[in-house]
Amino acid sequence: MFESSFNPQSPQALQRREAMLDRIAQLRALEDRAAQASAKSKPVFDKRGQLLPRERVALLLDPGTPYVPLCSLAGFLQDTKDQQKSVPGGGIVAGMGFIAGVRCMVVASDSGIEAGAIQPRGLEKILRVQDIALQNKLPFVHLVESAGANLTKYKVEGFVHGGSLFRNLARLSAAGIPVITVQHGSGTAGGAYMPGLSDVVIMVRGRSRAFLAGPPLLMAATGEVATEEELGGAEMHTSVSGLGEYLAEDDRQALGIARRLLQQMDRQGERKLESDPNSKRGPVFDADELLGLMPPHHREPVDMREVMARIVDGSELLEFKPLYGAATLCAQARIGGHAVGIISNNGPIDVAGSNKATHFIQWMCQLGHPIIYLQNTTGYMVGKDSEQGGMIKHGSKMIQAVTSATVPQITIQCGASFGAGNYGMCGRGYEPRFLFSWPQAKTAVMGGEQAARTMQIVAEAGMARKGITPDPAQMQAQFDQIVNVFESQADVFHTSGLVLDDGVIDPRDTRAVLSFCLDTCAEATEKTLRPMQFGVARM
C-alpha cells in the first residue's frame, strides 16, 4: 500500500482546498445557470402538458444508478464573452446512464432554451457523444425537440458540418447499435432526419412534428397551404408515412415506451446493472483530500502518487521502473476491480521518462490493461543536454506508442497540460476513449509568461538590429496583453466551452467516473454486434 506523506491539515493544503472548492462552486453555478435558463420555460411546458428536458432525462434513467454527464460546459463564452451572461451546454443535455438496466448514451434537446435550436458548440457536443456511443457500443437514445438551426445566426460551415450528425446516426445503426428517438416536439428541415435515421421512433400525439419544410417555407417555396399536422404530425407519421412506430399520449408515456424497448433488448455481452459498479474495495485515503493536493497556479510541485492513492482500489500501487526517469510515473493498480496502468508526471518528461512511458504503454497493450493518464505536465524537457540526448526522437516514440495503443485510454487533466506534453499524455488530439478535466486544469502550448517573454526577446532582438531602443512601457503593455491572451484561453472553463474535453468533474468524483468509464469499456469489449451494410432503413 502506498505510504502517503501528504498532510491534509497543513496551511498549504487547506489553502489549496479552498481554492479548489471555489472553482467547483463556479463550475456548479455554470451548470446550474443552464438548468435555470431552461427552467424559465416551465410555465409554457406546463401549459402544453410537457416535461422540461431535464425532467425527461431524469424520468428515462433508472433512479439511484450512476450517470455521467458529458460536455456540460460546451459553448461557454462562445455565445457571448460576458462570463456573467454566457449559458453553457450548447443547447444539448447529454450523458451516459442506465435505462432498464442497460448502459446507454442519452441525448436530449434543451428545448427550454431557444426552442432547442442547434448551437455551433452544441453540434460539436453531439458529434462527440455519438463517437463515444459508437466506440463503446452504447445504445443511442435521443430525446428530440428542436427548432433546427437558428436562421438569424446562420453560418454555412454549421450547415455543412451538420451533415455529420446524420451520417453518425447511420453509422451507429449500421454497426448494430440501436438508435431510439423520442420525438417530443418539432424536427424541421435537417432535424427531420433525426427520426428518419433512427431504428425506432416514438411520437407524442399533438406535439411531435417532423417535416422537411414547415408551412411557412412550403408556402414560400411552392405556394401550397397545409397545416403542421397534415405535413408532419404524430398521427400522420404513425398511421400514414410510417416514420413513427409508436404513438404516445404524452411525454411520460413516450419515455415509458422507450424504457420498455431497452428492457426487451437481449444482445450478447449486454450486462444488466445489478449493483453499484463502484462497490469494489475503495482507497484507504479519503477522496476529500484530493481538494487540497493541486495548487491553483501549477508552479508548486505535486507528487501525483498522492492522487493515484486516492482513486485506486486499496490505495495499492505497483510502480514500474520507479528509479528510472523518476519524474515520469508509471504504475499498475486496480480501479473498481479493473486492472489498469496509470501514467502521470512529477515534472517535465525527459529522455528517460519518454522511454519508460513507451515501454510501459506497450506492456499494458500486451497485458490488455486500459491506460489512465493523469495529466500534470509542463511538457517535454528542453535544453542542450536534452536535445543532444535525443529528446525529439524519444518523445516521438512515446507519441507513437500513445497513438498506436490497442487498449482503451482515458485521460484526466488534473493540472497543467502544456506543450507537447498534452500530446504525449494522450490529449484530445489523440482521441482517448474519454477525457475529463479538474476545475483548475490549464491547457496551453506554453505558460502565458513564457510566451510573453519569448515574444519580448524576439522583439527586442529585432529592435536592436535596427538600432531602435525599446520603450519599457510599450514592451510591458505587450507583455501583459500576451499573458492575458494565453491565460484566458488556458482556463479549463474556456477549453471545456470549446468541447476540448468531455466535461469538468469534481476531483472527489474521479474514482466513480473512472469506474463507470472502465465498466463501459469492458462491456463494449464483451458485446457482439451484428453490423450490416446499411443502417436500418425506414419502410
Side-chain angles (χ1 to χ4, degrees):
M1 189 182 73
F2 176 76
E3 294 185 9
S4 176
S5 60
F6 175 66
N7 178 9
Q9 298 303 316
S10 69
Q12 182 188 59
L14 293 174
Q15 187 177 25
R16 291 177 178 180
R17 173 187 170 84
E18 288 305 312
M20 183 66 81
L21 285 172
D22 181 62
R23 290 291 283 180
I24 293 171
Q26 293 178 46
L27 167 64
R28 297 295 176 239
L30 288 173
E31 292 174 333
D32 191 52
R33 183 185 297 174
Q36 289 180 2
S38 182
K40 289 179 181 178
S41 300
K42 183 169 176 57
V44 176
F45 277 68
D46 288 345
K47 186 176 180 179
R48 297 191 304 221
Q50 289 185 295
L51 298 170
L52 285 168
R54 285 165 180 77
E55 293 175 333
R56 293 168 183 166
V57 172
L59 195 61
L60 180 67
L61 295 169
D62 296 347
T65 57
Y67 173 72
V68 177
L70 297 168
C71 306
S72 62
L73 295 189
F76 180 59
L77 296 180
Q78 304 306 302
D79 51 348
T80 173
K81 296 303 179 184
D82 188 338
Q83 295 194 17
Q84 304 306 313
K85 294 182 180 179
S86 180
V87 178
I92 299 288
V93 179
M96 296 178 292
F98 291 89
I99 304 172
V102 178
R103 190 187 306 268
C104 298
M105 179 65 73
V106 180
V107 177
S109 310
D110 197 345
S111 47
I113 300 174
E114 296 184 359
I118 298 175
Q119 303 174 22
R121 299 301 174 184
L123 174 61
E124 289 189 34
K125 176 175 178 175
I126 195 169
L127 294 178
R128 171 58 185 156
V129 300
Q130 284 178 326
D131 283 343
I132 291 174
L134 184 63
Q135 196 169 26
N136 294 283
K137 306 176 186 176
L138 299 174
F140 192 84
V141 184
H142 201 178
L143 311 183
V144 176
E145 183 174 32
S146 172
N150 187 335
L151 296 182
T152 64
K153 301 178 181 178
Y154 170 76
K155 298 282 188 181
V156 67
E157 62 268 28
F159 155 68
V160 173
H161 293 310
S164 300
L165 189 160
F166 311 123
R167 172 177 176 264
N168 284 347
L169 293 175
R171 291 173 66 206
L172 285 162
S173 180
I177 299 170
V179 179
I180 298 172
T181 288
V182 181
Q183 191 78 29
H184 290 279
S186 294
T188 307
Y193 288 107
M194 293 180 188
L197 288 162
S198 300
D199 300 336
V200 179
V201 177
I202 304 161
M203 292 190 159
V204 179
R205 190 191 305 274
R207 298 305 324 164
S208 298
R209 299 281 189 274
F211 30 59
L212 296 178
L217 179 57
L218 183 68
M219 179 179 288
T222 69
E224 183 179 353
V225 177
T227 67
E228 287 192 345
E229 187 61 38
E230 290 171 330
L231 278 176
E235 291 186 52
M236 188 280 286
H237 279 310
T238 53
S239 63
V240 179
S241 76
L243 181 65
E245 278 67 54
Y246 299 94
L247 179 62
E249 297 301 322
D250 56 24
D251 283 351
R252 291 179 181 275
Q253 187 180 21
L255 295 168
I257 294 170
R259 287 183 56 81
R260 287 171 61 190
L261 287 171
L262 269 299
Q263 196 171 31
Q264 294 301 318
M265 285 189 185
D266 188 19
R267 297 188 300 159
Q268 185 175 350
E270 194 85 73
R271 295 188 298 175
K272 300 287 184 176
L273 181 68
E274 298 175 353
S275 62
D276 183 352
N278 302 320
S279 60
K280 309 294 189 298
R281 187 166 55 112
V284 171
F285 303 104
D286 193 343
D288 189 73
E289 294 174 359
L290 290 170
L291 298 175
L293 272 167
M294 195 62 60
H297 44 65
H298 310 302
R299 294 190 186 93
E300 299 169 7
V302 176
D303 185 352
M304 293 300 288
R305 297 179 189 86
E306 299 283 3
V307 174
M308 296 179 190
R310 286 158 179 81
I311 62 175
V312 304
D313 297 359
S315 298
E316 294 175 355
L317 298 171
L318 178 60
E319 271 206 72
F320 177 77
K321 290 187 175 181
L323 302 180
Y324 179 79
T328 298
L329 305 177
C330 299
Q332 289 178 264
R334 288 184 177 272
I335 298 177
H338 296 279
V340 298
I342 305 176
I343 302 177
S344 191
N345 322 99
N346 277 356
I349 306 170
D350 57 14
V351 168
S354 295
N355 284 320
K356 173 180 175 177
T358 301
H359 184 175
F360 187 71
I361 291 168
Q362 293 176 339
W363 188 39
M364 290 301 100
C365 291
Q366 187 181 60
L367 295 177
H369 293 176
I371 302 170
I372 311 296
Y373 296 86
L374 301 178
Q375 284 197 5
N376 185 37
T377 178
T378 54
Y380 285 91
M381 183 69 79
V382 296
K384 184 177 68 176
D385 291 342
S386 179
E387 297 287 7
Q388 291 179 356
M391 187 69 259
I392 295 173
K393 68 178 184 181
H394 295 301
S396 297
K397 285 192 302 188
M398 180 177 172
I399 288 174
Q400 287 179 328
V402 172
T403 302
S404 304
T406 55
V407 295
Q409 299 182 101
I410 302 173
T411 300
I412 306 290
Q413 292 186 320
C414 300
S417 180
F418 293 155
N422 174 276
Y423 307 156
M425 289 295 292
C426 202
R428 181 61 130 188
Y430 289 76
E431 298 185 351
R433 193 75 71 95
F434 300 96
L435 188 154
F436 295 95
S437 301
W438 282 7
Q440 291 183 339
K442 290 186 181 295
T443 303
V445 67
M446 64 181 72
E449 292 185 4
Q450 288 86 352
R453 180 59 183 152
T454 299
M455 293 301 295
Q456 189 177 51
I457 291 171
V458 171
E460 288 176 349
M463 291 179 182
R465 286 195 298 270
K466 297 176 182 179
I468 301 172
T469 302
D471 181 346
Q474 185 178 8
M475 297 302 293
Q476 185 62 46
Q478 183 185 40
F479 184 94
D480 294 341
Q481 181 185 16
I482 294 173
V483 169
N484 181 62
V485 168
F486 271 74
E487 293 299 326
S488 63
Q489 292 191 51
D491 185 82
V492 70
F493 292 167
H494 180 85
T495 54
S496 193
L498 294 172
V499 200
L500 296 179
D501 60 25
D502 296 326
V504 182
I505 62 173
D506 186 324
R508 295 169 292 189
D509 296 332
T510 305
R511 173 179 164 80
V513 169
L514 285 174
S515 294
F516 188 102
C517 292
L518 289 165
D519 282 344
T520 301
C521 295
E523 188 174 316
T525 301
E526 294 176 9
K527 286 180 185 175
T528 300
L529 301 178
R530 295 177 176 82
M532 304 178 293
Q533 186 176 1
F534 301 101
V536 174
R538 308 208 58 78
M539 301 298 181

